[in-house]
Amino acid sequence: MRLGYVLLKRLQRERRRRRRRHALVPDESIASPEKRKGSCYQQDDSPRSSKKMRYSGPDLPEEMWQHIHSLMPMKDAARVACLSSAFLYSWRNRPKLSFSTETMGIVEGTTDFIRKIDRVMKKHSGIGVKALTIEFNGLFSTKARSYLERWLQIAVTPRIEELSLSMSKGKSYYDFPCSLLSDGSGSSIRLLDLYRCTFRPTAEIGCFQSLTRLHLEYVSITGDELGCVFSTSFALEWLKLRLCRHIKYMKLPCVLQRLTYVEVRGCSRLRVIENKAPNLHSLHIFYQPYHPIKLSFGESSLVKNLRIGYSSVLDHACAELPYIFPNLETLTIGLLGEMVNTPMVPNTFLLLKYLCITLSAVTLSPSYDYLSLVSFLDACPSLDTFIVDVSAKHPKNDSIFENPSHLRQLPEQRHDNLRNVKITGFRSAKSLFELTYHILENTSVECLTLDTSFESFRCSPGKPGRCLQTSKDDPMEASKALFAIRTYIEGKVPSTVRLNVVEPCSRCHVMEPFTVESNSGNEMQ
């Protein structure tokens, strides 16, 4: 982008220089080209472009200048095309068209936004469009529908590679004209990204043989219609489905030989995922709160990375995940509903090296026991990294200050492969301290991080904005946790372990130190 910016500035300076020269020496306005050869800008002799300049240096191939022009942002590319006829042809054949309130500048409502896009599309030759992105950002309306279909007819040709449409948030969906993808127009698409659309592909559309990435969000599409896309998407590598609430059953056929990543988020009616894609390595499933999803992956599943989060995930993990995904190496579990103390079966995740558990319920069950998470260590003999996010309200009766002298100890079970442990949202819950002691005494941990911060968003030094906290009680809870760490943990950390204690942001929060009465302090000591 730097070269394009420099080029634009040079063109503007040359235009100002020529205007000053014309004002001082009027006769030079008709000077011969030989007198102007010292300048790298020459006036175009064509009748239509008598006021535009052609850039004559450095001497680069025309294809190179067109490539430079295509890499410039839309606003800069349009300005350069206005200043130099050498780039006018490149502008009318620009391969990447991106329209949004950001790329189009200030717009005064839907009508102005449509007018600006339509002006560009009418002057575009329609030849060579490889990427089209339109983001309405709240400006989509009934009036825009007819314009949009005309723009798509211009841009969607057998040469297009990327198509991204983002409609406005609301109840109305745009009926995507699938007929545009027939007769070979869809065979060249590598990226299809739709937001707030109705997408009804059929077997008659044709082949999506070049499609590598499919992103659908708030798209009305059924499992059968999705299957029509899969059946000819031989090059598909990435699949993202977000809030597509009409899909009940998703089958990934064996023709998806290159598919490696699948993400499903908020598809509330989805009940079954059946996979026959042989090389799927990463599976992410989020926000399926109403019912568990049946996963059918066969005995030879190669999935190594799994991120999954919905209310019954912990039970599901204990009962089925080790057998559905025997080759897992990384596992992230997010718990969104009521928690239960569910022990893991020992030695079930034999290859797992990275485990992250998020306990993000608004209120944990009073009987929840953090020490029960040790069963995950027993289930993962090869585990190297263990991360626990306990950013949730803790039971009031589970406090290290209540009775610090009676701490439970589990039977000794070594976890010698464990090297890194991080507990985020660390508080003064007694069972958290019991979990920490067990890790210090029964593992070969090298780095232990206890994060007492409570910000859902943390500010950055030198940038505007403040940290966001989730509860007014968070500062006091963090202060209690820091006091408890200094009192009960720091003295028990072996010299071979690096202890990192993360405190809340001092720029945005004033932390009042936690104190206890002298008699309580003596009892705890």
Side-chain angles (χ1 to χ4, degrees):
M1 296 308 106
R2 180 63 182 174
L3 180 58
Y5 174 80
V6 172
L7 177 60
L8 176 61
K9 291 301 181 182
R10 286 183 177 178
L11 286 169
Q12 292 173 338
R13 284 199 301 270
E14 183 65 20
R15 169 171 278 191
R16 290 194 295 268
R17 188 182 299 115
R18 290 177 62 82
R19 285 176 178 172
R20 289 195 299 269
R21 187 184 303 127
H22 177 74
L24 294 173
V25 188
D27 291 339
E28 287 193 9
S29 63
I30 55 174
S32 63
E34 288 77 8
K35 292 183 180 181
R36 298 196 304 265
K37 65 182 180 179
S39 172
C40 59
Y41 301 90
Q42 297 180 4
Q43 185 170 336
D44 198 326
D45 295 330
S46 62
R48 293 185 179 180
S49 306
S50 58
K51 293 184 180 181
K52 291 185 174 63
M53 293 171 289
R54 291 182 289 109
Y55 185 67
S56 60
D59 188 14
L60 295 176
E62 181 180 354
E63 294 79 6
M64 182 65 72
W65 286 119
Q66 292 180 1
H67 179 66
I68 293 173
H69 191 231
S70 69
L71 296 176
M72 296 174 65
M74 287 281 290
K75 289 187 290 187
D76 292 343
R79 290 167 181 164
V80 170
C82 293
L83 293 172
S84 172
S85 60
F87 289 107
L88 185 59
Y89 174 82
S90 175
W91 171 249
R92 290 174 176 171
N93 295 274
R94 183 176 174 86
K96 295 184 178 181
L97 300 175
S98 179
F99 302 109
S100 67
T101 53
E102 181 180 354
T103 61
M104 301 302 291
I106 299 175
V107 294
E108 300 176 357
T110 301
T111 301
D112 187 41
F113 186 64
I114 294 173
R115 180 180 56 83
K116 289 185 176 183
I117 299 178
D118 198 52
R119 184 187 304 168
V120 174
M121 295 303 295
K122 281 182 176 179
K123 293 183 178 181
H124 199 282
S125 66
I127 300 175
V129 177
K130 292 184 177 181
L132 174 65
T133 299
I134 304 179
E135 298 178 8
F136 281 90
N137 297 322
L139 300 174
F140 187 71
S141 65
T142 303
K143 180 180 179 181
R145 292 177 185 270
S146 59
Y147 284 91
L148 178 56
E149 292 187 6
R150 186 166 72 240
W151 302 335
L152 291 176
Q153 289 175 355
I154 294 173
V156 179
T157 68
R159 293 186 178 182
I160 192 166
E161 297 179 359
E162 299 180 9
L163 179 59
S164 178
L165 298 179
S166 179
M167 304 298 109
S168 302
K169 294 182 179 180
K171 295 182 179 180
S172 61
Y173 281 45
Y174 172 67
D175 293 328
F176 182 84
C178 292
S179 58
L180 287 175
L181 304 178
S182 59
D183 299 327
S185 295
S187 62
S188 61
I189 292 181
R190 297 175 58 85
L191 167 64
L192 181 60
D193 187 353
L194 301 179
Y195 177 82
R196 288 276 178 184
C197 294
T198 297
F199 189 41
R200 304 294 185 205
T202 62
E204 289 73 26
I205 285 183
C207 185
F208 289 92
Q209 62 183 15
S210 301
L211 188 65
T212 59
R213 290 176 177 255
L214 177 62
H215 302 168
L216 303 179
E217 184 171 355
Y218 276 112
V219 172
S220 178
I221 186 173
T222 66
D224 291 338
E225 291 164 342
L226 198 58
C228 292
V229 178
F230 292 157
S231 63
T232 57
S233 301
F234 310 115
L236 189 64
E237 298 174 1
W238 279 60
L239 172 65
K240 287 186 179 181
L241 302 175
R242 297 184 175 182
L243 299 162
C244 299
R245 293 168 177 165
H246 292 82
I247 302 174
K248 298 180 180 179
Y249 182 99
M250 183 172 70
K251 181 178 181 179
L252 304 172
C254 60
V255 297
L256 303 179
Q257 296 283 322
R258 299 184 182 180
L259 184 64
T260 59
Y261 178 93
V262 171
E263 178 182 325
V264 178
R265 184 185 295 264
C267 299
S268 56
R269 296 186 182 180
L270 184 62
R271 300 290 182 94
V272 179
I273 298 179
E274 180 182 345
N275 175 61
K276 293 185 179 179
N279 296 305
L280 180 61
H281 289 166
S282 298
L283 176 63
H284 297 184
I285 302 176
F286 299 100
Y287 303 114
Q288 304 294 141
Y290 303 112
H291 50 75
I293 297 177
K294 181 180 179 181
L295 303 174
S296 177
F297 276 68
E299 297 180 357
S300 58
S301 171
L302 296 180
V303 174
K304 295 182 178 180
N305 308 307
L306 179 64
R307 298 182 66 187
I308 191 167
Y310 50 91
S311 59
S312 60
V313 65
L314 191 53
D315 292 327
H316 198 66
C318 296
E320 300 180 28
L321 292 186
Y323 308 102
I324 299 174
F325 307 109
N327 296 302
L328 276 185
E329 295 181 1
T330 67
L331 173 61
T332 299
I333 300 178
L335 302 178
L336 304 178
E338 189 73 12
M339 311 306 166
V340 292
N341 301 322
T342 306
M344 287 288 294
V345 178
N347 299 319
T348 50
F349 290 110
L350 296 177
L351 303 179
L352 198 66
K353 297 180 180 179
Y354 175 95
L355 175 61
C356 178
I357 300 176
T358 300
L359 308 175
S360 55
V362 177
T363 303
L364 291 178
S365 168
S367 62
Y368 190 77
D369 184 7
Y370 293 114
L371 187 59
S372 66
L373 295 176
V374 171
S375 66
F376 278 90
L377 303 182
D378 298 335
C380 310
S382 302
L383 196 64
D384 174 86
T385 300
F386 183 44
I387 299 175
V388 182
D389 183 355
V390 292
S391 302
K393 292 184 178 180
H394 302 280
K396 293 183 178 180
N397 60 350
D398 181 25
S399 173
I400 188 66
F401 300 114
E402 293 291 330
N403 191 356
S405 59
H406 294 83
L407 298 178
R408 295 169 298 166
Q409 288 185 332
L410 297 178
E412 183 176 343
Q413 176 69 37
R414 296 295 301 175
H415 311 285
D416 291 326
N417 290 316
L418 191 61
R419 295 292 183 269
N420 300 287
V421 175
K422 180 178 181 179
I423 303 179
T424 302
F426 194 90
R427 296 294 180 262
S428 58
K430 184 176 180 179
S431 58
L432 265 180
F433 283 79
E434 293 171 336
L435 173 64
T436 305
Y437 289 160
H438 181 88
I439 291 173
L440 289 173
E441 295 171 0
N442 295 279
T443 72
S444 300
V445 64
E446 297 175 354
C447 179
L448 173 63
T449 300
L450 303 180
D451 188 346
T452 66
S453 62
F454 48 79
E455 299 90 358
S456 58
F457 169 79
R458 189 145 188 167
C459 67
S460 299
K463 295 184 179 180
R466 294 179 59 85
C467 299
L468 299 179
Q469 67 184 66
T470 57
S471 171
K472 63 179 181 180
D473 297 329
D474 285 337
M476 179 53 67
E477 290 297 324
S479 182
K480 290 167 62 177
L482 289 170
F483 179 85
I485 290 173
R486 298 188 185 102
T487 304
Y488 301 114
I489 291 182
E490 287 186 351
K492 293 181 177 293
V493 177
S495 59
T496 56
V497 178
R498 184 173 73 256
L499 175 64
N500 298 323
V501 179
V502 181
E503 301 186 12
C505 175
S506 58
R507 296 175 62 245
C508 301
H509 306 290
V510 177
M511 300 291 296
E512 296 183 4
F514 175 75
T515 59
V516 294
E517 297 179 0
S518 58
N519 58 342
S520 299
N522 294 333
E523 180 183 351
M524 287 186 291
Q525 298 297 330

